[in-house]
Every structure is written in C-alpha cells, then in structure tokens.
C-alpha cells in the first residue's frame, strides 16, 4: 500500500486473506480484526478465522460467529486483470457494528471478483 501527500510517499505492508468461495470467484478480506485491530488468523483445527487478542471468531467466509467484534471481517475491493489479483486497500472504522471506511468512501461492490 503506497500513500502519498504533498511531501512524502510511504509504503506499508498489509495482510489480507484471499478466499475462493467458488471455482470462478475470489474474495478478499482484510486481516485486521473489526473489533480493535489485531491480526486475524486462520485456525484450521477450528475451521474458522480467530483473533488472538479477545477471541472473536469468524466463519470461513468472514461472517461473525462470536466474541466482542460487532461485525464480520471486512471485505476489500478486488479484481482480476490479466490473471493478476489486484486488491485496493481500504481501512475500516474499528469497533462499530456497521461497516464504515475511515475516509468515508463507499463500501458497495467490495469483496468478490
Ligand atoms: S481485537 Fe480482535 S477480538 Fe479484539
């Protein structure tokens, strides 16, 4: 993720989860927990994504199962161009039940290509 302003350019590395809900589709979820921002991990033994900080758990499609997170994992805009998966990084407001981006951009059309 590269961010620019009038004086600087900064590159950050972010973690995402790339899922294949169907053979001809992919879905991308941010690994940032929607509760307070820890890194969500896949737990194969539980068949779920889980957050190590406060034990929120999410289904394989990112839907909330239980824990203090008030919504499911956040989907990111994705497209496939010439066989390459391209993901647009978006930051979401932590702790809220409804999904909102930190910059107020719309969240429609995100998550699946
Ligand atoms: S930060 Fe993930 S459950 Fe609290």
């Amino acid at each position: 993720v590269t961010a620019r302003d009038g004086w600087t350019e900064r590159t950050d590395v972010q973690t995402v989860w790339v899922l294949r809900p169907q053979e001809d589709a992919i879905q991308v979820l941010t690994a940032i927990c929607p509760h307070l921002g820890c890194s969500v991990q896949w737990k194969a033994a539980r068949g779920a994504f889980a957050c190590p900080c406060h034990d929120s758990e999410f289904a394989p499609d990112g839907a909330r199962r239980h824990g203090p997170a008030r919504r499911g994992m956040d989907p990111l805009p994705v497209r496939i161009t010439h066989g390459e998966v391209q993901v647009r990084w978006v930051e979401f407001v932590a702790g809220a039940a409804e999904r909102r981006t930190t910059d107020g951009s719309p969240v429609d059309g995100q998550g699946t290509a």
Side-chain angles (χ1 to χ4, degrees):
V1 179
T2 300
R4 295 184 184 98
D5 64 21
W7 303 99
T8 62
E9 178 177 296
R10 155 185 122 243
T11 301
D12 296 323
V13 175
Q14 300 290 348
T15 302
V16 300
W17 290 101
V18 179
L19 316 173
R20 291 198 76 172
Q22 301 160 0
E23 191 169 315
D24 61 346
I26 62 170
Q27 179 182 17
V28 177
L29 304 172
T30 172
I32 295 177
C33 180
H35 178 226
L36 293 177
C38 290
S39 185
V40 174
Q41 301 163 3
W42 174 251
K43 298 294 182 186
R46 291 159 68 173
F49 290 103
C51 180
C53 292
H54 311 103
D55 205 29
S56 284
E57 185 173 292
F58 307 92
D61 67 354
R64 181 188 175 278
R65 279 189 176 162
H66 62 78
R70 298 171 66 202
R71 64 175 188 268
M73 295 168 67
D74 296 313
L76 295 170
V78 60
R79 68 181 180 193
I80 299 174
T81 304
H82 305 298
E84 181 176 274
V85 176
Q86 298 176 334
V87 178
R88 184 169 63 87
W89 181 253
V90 179
E91 293 187 4
F92 294 89
V93 175
E98 69 285 351
R99 183 170 291 123
R100 297 189 320 263
T101 59
T102 57
D103 66 1
S105 62
V107 294
D108 293 342
Q110 292 181 359
T112 304

